[in-house]
Amino acid sequence: MGPRPLLILALSLAGCGEPVLPDAPERPPFTPAPAAERPAPSGRYLTARLLEPTALRAAPGGRALHPLAVRTEFGSRRVLGVTARRDGWLRVIAPERPNGRAGWIPERRARLGGTDVSLHVDRSARALTVRRDGRVVRRFPIAVGRPGTPTPTGRFAVTDKLHPDRADSPYGCCALA
């Protein structure tokens, strides 16, 4: 299996969104089961797929910071990385927040999931490592930013898998948002 199919498979398993299919029928509305009846999500990293629009908040029940739609700006289902749970609230990583800052959403507005797949970037080695259950699955060479436009550091979540229309795209065959 070549590097591209393996990376796409890893990202698909990571729950980072669904591709938008032009003629895909809309799914019927989803009514989540009560929390007591839901199975516990499996995986080392917790994810939250939005079920309805909500506000990203500064703290549980706090001031609204940004509206969050069910789909990302690129059309994928919005799936957020969860970093904490507290009394019916989820602390999530969202692109609407500045680097390193999390926000909060009500747990009832999301469907919890989990993944054991993670991506780790080593800027000095210019390498991306895909891990499953903490074990290295694959390594890829990557490009990094330059002075003035450096590659950011910190914890991030993949929101979309993008496939540029042009073969000569500076992003190559694909890009992760």
Side-chain angles (χ1 to χ4, degrees), residues 53-175:
T54 191
L56 187 64
R57 299 188 175 274
R63 169 175 68 87
L65 301 171
H66 302 280
L68 295 178
V70 173
R71 294 205 175 265
T72 69
E73 64 185 289
F74 301 106
S76 300
R77 294 288 307 209
R78 186 177 298 266
V79 178
L80 304 166
V82 177
T83 60
R85 292 171 83 176
R86 186 185 333 160
D87 300 325
W89 289 86
L90 304 172
R91 186 174 66 197
V92 296
I93 299 170
E96 288 79 6
R97 297 290 290 147
N99 289 343
R101 305 285 304 271
W104 293 84
I105 61 170
E107 186 170 342
R108 71 182 182 282
R109 301 244 172 131
R111 177 179 225 173
L112 292 177
T115 183
D116 288 318
V117 177
S118 61
L119 306 176
H120 301 263
V121 173
D122 182 337
R123 293 182 312 158
S124 62
R126 290 183 158 76
L128 172 112
T129 302
V130 179
R131 293 183 183 153
R132 180 179 288 125
D133 290 326
R135 291 184 310 245
V136 174
V137 175
R138 187 85 180 179
R139 283 195 175 94
F140 299 93
I142 60 167
V144 297
R146 60 180 184 190
T149 56
T151 301
T153 60
R155 184 173 179 181
F156 301 91
V158 174
T159 63
D160 295 85
K161 298 174 285 190
L162 306 175
H163 301 281
D165 294 332
R166 296 179 19 215
D168 64 342
S169 166
Y171 299 108
C173 68
C174 45

Side-chain angles (χ1 to χ4, degrees), residues 17-78:
E18 301 170 3
V20 176
L21 302 175
D23 298 318
E26 277 296 314
R27 294 181 181 160
F30 175 78
T31 304
E37 297 175 19
R38 290 185 213 152
S42 63
R44 171 182 278 179
Y45 304 102
L46 196 60
T47 61
R49 186 183 83 187
L50 284 189
L51 300 173
E52 58 187 270
T54 191
L56 187 64
R57 299 188 175 274
R63 169 175 68 87
L65 301 171
H66 302 280
L68 295 178
V70 173
R71 294 205 175 265
T72 69
E73 64 185 289
F74 301 106
S76 300
R77 294 288 307 209
R78 186 177 298 266

